[in-house]
Amino acid sequence: MKNKTLKSWSDTWLVEATIDQLQAKMEAGTLTARDLVLMYLERIATYDKRGPKINSVLELNPDALQIAEALDHERRTKGTRGPMHGIPVLLKDNIDTGDKMHTSAGSLALADHTAKEDAVLARKLREAGAILLGKLNMTEWANYMTNRMPSGYSSRGGQTKNPYRGDYLVGGSSSGSGAAVAANFATVTVGTETAGSILYPASANACVGIKPTVGLISRRGVIPIAHSQDTPGPMARTVADAAILLNALAGADELDPITRTSVGQAAADYTQFLDADALKGKRIGVVREFFKKIDAEHQELMEAAFEAMRDAGAEVFDVELPSANADWDHDVLKYEYKVDLNAYLANCGPQVPVHSLRELIAYNMAHPDSLLKYGQTLLLASEETSGTLTEPAYINSREKDLYLSRTAGIDPMMAEHRLDAWVFPASWGSHIPAKAGYPSINVPAGASVEKGPVGISFSGLAYSEGELIALAYAFEQRTQHRVPPKM
């Protein structure tokens, strides 16, 4: 970097640089983690806070440069910890970090909240040698505050914009995670999903998003919506980078019981599935019901995606998902939210003015101009529940979700047609694998003139992440739809 400015470097080879490319430069001694952090900071200053003002980054880690220098020293003296050594990562603002950064879920009510310790996933990233560069804006309270909240808006951060065009939808609730990685503000980012909150922003921002099986990644230290469906997941510009990040995030946690199901089912290394020929001979089901809900231009892009899969040797055909048009409800979220959020807020320190859902509602009402721009109807509905999960409406809804999504939904469809995966547009259909707790991966599939980038989502049974990564990688390598935004 001696003969070039930070900006010239960050606007040339840094754009779309992959983890493997960055590691190769660091191993060759032509790049350091410190250089890398400085270049990402330059891009954030230039494009997130000025110019197009993407507004995806809420705050930066004040220790990031020094952490990078320490990791550079470690590389020189001891070697690397692995593929994530010295790689900057941005986290969604509902993920705890036990450092000088705040964790607020985008709410001004938690603007002063500093977590006592790292979320499990944040700790695992540090152990892998990643640099936690900063926190990302998100739809406030992960879009479980009101039915009227625009995707990408929070009272603390304002409105995040799509880097491809300001009037395109940015997707939610991991909107900052999608926009920031698309705009090359970090190598990779981490989002969270309850129902579509990784897949949708990945689709809208032409990036890769993996919504893993509920249980593959610990949720401890993540501000919750509903323990039945919540999961963090990687977001990246390539399937390979998403797989590398997934390796660092995955693992059982004794204090998050569902993660014990991953033992013996999670892969030791998800990069082993990066096979460009993986579509050959595979059976892919198209749930046409969901594709009927998208506009004509989007449908044309999806038909082109099916043809690309067929050209790669896959059998792609229409299937019926028995529960596609079932009478779904969101009662599980309403009842679990109060229990899960109360448990999280109760452990927040005295610097936070709210320690329960009831106190949060009252605090919002006391500051309507800044905190109630779009209301809090979902918070109010959740507070009306008992907080005991004993209501018949909750128990019945949970049983119905599992039955319709798994037993009378995805499971028989996959078995009857001997499917390796099924596909849907990220803007429709994601609620069913979310309720089942099953994994999905979104990969770019082109762009609509009117609405911007779109992706296609592959989904399968529990702990089929490896197979889905293989299919998504083969599709990505064949089509190469992702292009960086013209900032």
Side-chain angles (χ1 to χ4, degrees):
M1 284 185 31
K2 293 179 180 178
N3 299 319
K4 287 180 177 285
T5 66
L6 282 171
K7 190 175 189 320
S8 66
W9 274 66
S10 66
D11 281 351
T12 53
W13 68 264
L14 181 63
V15 174
E16 305 294 284
T18 67
I19 291 174
D20 284 347
Q21 290 168 343
L22 295 175
Q23 289 294 354
K25 285 184 176 291
M26 287 191 279
E27 282 298 296
T30 58
L31 175 72
T32 66
R34 180 181 180 274
D35 294 336
L36 196 50
V37 167
L38 284 170
M39 285 187 284
Y40 281 127
L41 294 180
E42 172 64 30
R43 283 191 64 81
I44 290 167
T46 303
Y47 301 113
D48 199 60
K49 303 309 171 190
R50 295 198 300 261
K53 295 183 178 179
I54 305 303
N55 197 36
S56 62
V57 181
L58 270 179
E59 66 179 299
L60 293 166
N61 186 349
D63 296 325
L65 273 175
Q66 293 176 334
I67 292 169
E69 289 179 2
L71 288 165
D72 286 332
H73 176 72
E74 184 177 328
R75 182 187 292 269
R76 291 191 299 269
T77 58
K78 297 181 181 179
T80 69
R81 303 184 192 184
M84 290 299 297
H85 191 109
I87 299 298
V89 182
L90 287 166
L91 304 179
K92 189 175 178 178
D93 185 45
N94 58 352
I95 299 169
D96 285 347
T97 53
D99 51 22
K100 298 170 186 174
M101 292 190 288
H102 300 88
T103 307
S104 71
S107 173
L108 284 172
L110 293 189
D112 295 325
H113 173 232
T114 51
K116 299 172 186 175
E117 61 183 7
D118 279 345
V120 171
L121 74 87
R123 172 176 57 79
K124 288 175 70 66
L125 285 171
R126 292 191 207 270
E127 291 171 351
I131 301 165
L132 305 188
L133 185 60
K135 295 290 184 74
L136 293 165
N137 199 17
M138 56 184 284
T139 313
E140 189 164 344
W141 295 111
N143 204 24
Y144 204 81
M145 182 175 179
T146 170
N147 292 315
R148 298 174 51 229
M149 185 79 74
S151 291
Y153 173 83
S154 73
S155 61
R156 183 179 173 214
Q159 181 66 51
T160 294
K161 293 191 294 186
N162 190 310
Y164 286 89
R165 206 171 82 183
D167 60 342
Y168 288 158
L169 292 175
V170 72
S173 66
S174 302
S175 33
S177 302
V181 78
N184 288 273
F185 295 154
T187 314
V188 288
T189 63
V190 180
T192 66
E193 174 160 329
T194 305
S197 292
I198 288 174
L199 300 178
Y200 182 28
S203 175
N205 292 281
C207 61
V208 176
I210 300 177
K211 180 268 176 189
T213 304
V214 175
L216 185 63
I217 302 173
S218 174
R219 291 87 54 86
R220 188 153 56 95
V222 179
I223 298 177
I225 291 181
H227 58 267
S228 292
Q229 296 179 206
D230 289 349
T231 180
M235 302 184 75
R237 291 179 292 273
T238 68
V239 176
D241 280 0
I244 292 171
L245 180 55
L246 185 61
N247 283 341
L249 298 173
D253 170 16
E254 282 299 311
L255 297 182
D256 185 356
I258 190 62
T259 65
R260 299 173 202 164
T261 65
S262 70
V263 177
Q265 299 196 79
D269 178 8
Y270 286 100
T271 64
Q272 68 179 299
F273 298 100
L274 300 174
D275 178 6
D277 295 320
L279 280 163
K280 188 174 182 179
K282 296 300 189 295
R283 295 172 62 83
I284 310 296
V286 177
V287 180
R288 188 65 60 175
E289 191 66 30
F290 297 130
F291 291 94
K292 292 177 181 177
K293 300 177 185 292
I294 58 179
D295 63 51
E297 189 178 10
H298 193 170
Q299 285 187 29
E300 288 182 11
L301 292 170
M302 294 298 98
E303 291 297 334
F306 304 153
E307 283 305 308
M309 293 180 213
R310 292 187 182 104
D311 290 343
E315 294 182 62
V316 184
F317 51 94
D318 288 2
V319 295
E320 287 190 10
L321 181 61
S323 55
N325 292 312
D327 184 20
W328 299 98
D329 63 53
H330 301 290
D331 283 354
V332 168
L333 275 59
K334 178 175 71 174
Y335 286 95
E336 290 187 0
Y337 188 62
K338 182 176 181 178
V339 175
D340 295 343
L341 187 63
N342 278 347
Y344 179 89
L345 292 176
N347 288 317
C348 293
Q351 77 273 29
V352 175
V354 299
H355 294 88
S356 68
L357 177 56
R358 179 175 298 177
E359 290 182 5
L360 172 62
I361 290 169
Y363 188 84
N364 290 342
M365 292 179 68
H367 303 84
D369 292 344
S370 57
L371 284 161
L372 288 181
K373 184 176 181 180
Y374 298 103
Q376 55 179 345
T377 53
L378 297 177
L379 301 187
L380 292 167
S382 185
E383 177 57 29
E384 290 176 359
T385 68
S386 70
T388 65
L389 301 183
T390 58
E391 291 93 338
Y394 165 71
I395 295 170
N396 292 337
S397 181
R398 180 68 179 131
E399 290 178 340
K400 183 179 77 172
D401 279 358
L402 288 172
Y403 176 74
L404 291 176
S405 64
R406 295 184 186 181
T407 311
I410 297 170
D411 295 2
M413 177 186 71
M414 297 276 299
E416 178 186 353
H417 299 286
R418 296 178 287 111
L419 298 180
D420 293 286
W422 62 287
V423 292
F424 56 89
S427 52
W428 291 94
S430 61
H431 62 289
I432 297 181
K435 288 175 180 292
Y438 288 173
S440 304
I441 180 170
N442 177 85
V443 64
S448 158
V449 174
E450 291 298 318
K451 297 184 178 179
V454 296
I456 189 164
S457 294
F458 295 81
S459 194
L461 300 176
Y463 295 107
S464 62
E465 282 84 358
E467 292 81 358
L468 299 179
I469 285 169
L471 298 174
Y473 181 76
F475 178 81
E476 171 195 60
Q477 295 303 299
R478 189 170 190 87
T479 58
Q480 297 291 324
H481 280 300
R482 175 171 166 80
V483 293
K486 297 178 180 179
M487 305 289 283

